[in-house]
Amino acid sequence: GAGVSQTPSNKVTEKGKYVELRCDPISGHTALYWYRQSLGQGPEFLIYFQGTGAADDSGLPNDRFFAVRPEGSVSTLKIQRTERGDSAVYLCASSSRGDTEAFFGQGTRLTVV
Amino acid sequence: QKEVEQDPGPLSVPEGAIVSLNCTYSNSAFQYFMWYRQYSRKGPELLMYTYSSGNKEDGRFTAQVDKSSKYISLFIRDSQPSDSATYLCAMRGTSYDKVIFGPGTSLSVIP
């Protein structure tokens, strides 16, 4: 597709369960970002990949959160032992190397019950 | 103090009005400045980006950056009901840095 694709669009999980959120960036984009957005707030940075490596993971809130991008394209955000406070929209964005424009996907709405 | 501050609104204007949206920031290392529009239940959509200080115009939208005051603005001329959305300012230090967002301003344009 032409844009950033995120799956699933909605995810409801029970407290304590493990979840994976997937991001397919725009083809050829080497930079990939994960953000988390709570209601009424701006997106909050989680992690940034340049190629396969995490260039900046300073936004990950704790060790329950982990993200991978093994082949430099698709990325998966993994959350262990989910808590109700993890409920938010998780946004993925990608940009081409050296380009400042980041294009966002529609997000995955995670609800922990 | 948060790195990027923005009046959350809500801001309500009549159709055809000129809208002014603003952000202030504290980190003098920021060099790239962006405005995103976000409709309800959608991802942010890039509207404008500028590098360093100055103005940039694109149709009804004008972005201004004043680095000396650490202040950026987005002006919308001839506002339309379809402009009703949340507007997020965003910025970064270099083209390889993370993007930091403001909390967003909710705008309603009333027909």
Side-chain angles (χ1 to χ4, degrees), chain A residues 8-21:
Chain A
S9 54
N10 284 283
K11 175 72 177 178
V12 180
T13 190
E14 292 181 348
K15 178 176 177 295
K17 298 290 188 183
Y18 167 83
V19 296
E20 290 190 352
L21 312 179

Side-chain angles (χ1 to χ4, degrees), chain B residues 25-94:
Chain B
Y25 63 95
S26 57
N27 189 343
S28 57
F30 288 143
Q31 298 184 65
Y32 296 89
F33 303 90
M34 290 146 277
W35 284 95
Y36 285 83
R37 177 175 62 195
Q38 187 173 29
Y39 292 113
S40 180
R41 294 185 168 266
K42 300 290 186 183
E45 168 197 10
L46 181 68
L47 281 176
M48 302 281 285
Y49 78 95
T50 54
Y51 172 71
S52 195
S53 286
N55 294 357
K56 184 172 183 179
E57 186 173 323
D58 184 0
R60 297 184 296 110
F61 298 91
T62 299
Q64 289 185 350
V65 174
D66 181 349
K67 289 188 70 179
S68 63
S69 301
K70 298 190 179 70
Y71 188 87
I72 70 171
S73 301
L74 178 71
F75 298 95
I76 308 174
R77 290 182 298 283
D78 187 26
S79 56
Q80 302 295 308
S82 59
D83 295 328
S84 298
T86 295
Y87 289 79
L88 299 156
C89 64
M91 47 202 77
R92 71 200 304 180
T94 72

Side-chain angles (χ1 to χ4, degrees), chain A residues 20-23 34 49 66-70 74-78:
Chain A
E20 290 190 352
L21 312 179
R22 177 186 168 106
C23 174
W34 283 99
F49 288 91
F66 189 70
V68 296
R69 195 185 184 198
V74 171
S75 176
T76 304
L77 178 65
K78 308 180 180 192

Side-chain angles (χ1 to χ4, degrees), chain A residues 10 33 35 37 40-43 45 48 50 56 58 91 95 97-106 109, chain B residues 2 8 32 34 36 38 41-46 49 88 92 94-104:
Chain A
N10 284 283
Y33 308 82
Y35 285 80
Q37 187 174 26
Q41 301 295 316
F45 171 78
Y48 156 47
Q50 184 61 244
D56 185 346
S58 62
L91 294 164
S95 66
R97 182 179 175 87
D99 189 340
T100 63
E101 299 176 83
F103 297 91
F104 280 82
Q106 302 280 54
R109 184 173 300 275
Chain B
K2 292 184 178 179
Y32 296 89
M34 290 146 277
Y36 285 83
Q38 187 173 29
R41 294 185 168 266
K42 300 290 186 183
E45 168 197 10
L46 181 68
Y49 78 95
L88 299 156
R92 71 200 304 180
T94 72
S95 57
Y96 301 104
D97 279 345
K98 61 192 177 189
V99 175
I100 304 297
F101 284 83

